[in-house]
Amino acid sequence: MADHRGAIENLLYTYAEAIDAGDYEAIGALFAHGAIADADGTPMVVGAQAVTALYTSTTRKYPDGTPRSHHVTTNPLIEIADDELSAVCRSRFTVFQQTEELPLQPIIAGAYTDTFEQVDGTWRFVERRMRPTLYGDLSKHLLIDVTPNQD
């Protein structure tokens, strides 16, 4: 029996590894057949080029080529469909950052809801919904202003 959970968890952690390395092209590749969406599922960008462009235009890189962050993904609750061709995962994220101006601290936390599909034996992202819930100082991480949702 295939290790579907392990393959899906690897996708979660590959995303965190790529963003922390400043490898926005690798993030794009993860979503070559998928979308980054807001909390209600409205797609923000779809496909590798658009996802890469989103991260390039919104996430700051420092001289070392990274955003000086550590994305921590926890509590993955994975539900695999009976046909083993699709899955949904709900997880939590916390982003830590340290720069010359900013001491090590959490800068944002929230939840992901990811959908996956298995094609030719390989799992891939279909959609990632991001729902930030706790906000810290994002001024040294993002190149855009983010206004916390006050629901």
Side-chain angles (χ1 to χ4, degrees):
M1 180 175 199
D3 180 15
H4 300 304
R5 284 186 57 83
I8 290 167
E9 287 174 345
N10 282 346
L11 288 170
L12 300 175
Y13 305 141
T14 298
Y15 169 88
E17 183 178 71
I19 193 167
D20 292 338
D23 191 348
Y24 305 149
E25 292 79 14
I27 297 170
L30 285 171
F31 290 90
H33 303 279
I36 301 287
D38 63 16
D40 70 2
T42 302
M44 294 186 288
V45 288
V46 178
Q49 287 183 318
V51 170
T52 299
L54 173 72
Y55 282 84
T56 300
S57 67
T58 61
T59 309
R60 186 181 313 277
K61 277 191 189 182
Y62 287 85
D64 68 355
T66 76
R68 306 270 311 143
S69 62
H70 283 270
H71 286 66
V72 180
T73 307
T74 59
N75 305 19
L77 299 170
I78 301 170
E79 299 172 11
I80 299 170
D82 290 341
D83 65 6
E84 298 184 355
L85 295 177
S86 63
V88 175
C89 176
R90 296 181 322 277
S91 61
R92 299 289 185 176
F93 68 86
T94 305
V95 181
F96 295 90
Q97 186 181 40
Q98 179 183 18
T99 70
E100 289 185 19
E101 303 89 18
L102 187 73
L104 179 62
Q105 61 185 280
I107 59 171
I108 193 166
Y112 296 135
T113 300
D114 297 312
T115 56
F116 301 93
E117 66 183 355
Q118 185 180 190
V119 177
D120 297 327
T122 301
W123 286 96
R124 64 188 186 193
F125 279 98
V126 173
E127 179 186 75
R128 166 160 276 183
R129 293 184 185 191
M130 299 182 184
R131 188 173 51 86
T133 54
L134 303 173
Y135 295 83
D137 184 351
L138 291 165
S139 66
K140 304 295 185 216
H141 182 58
L142 297 178
L143 298 168
I144 59 172
D145 288 327
V146 174
T147 304
N149 189 354
Q150 301 295 326
D151 316 282

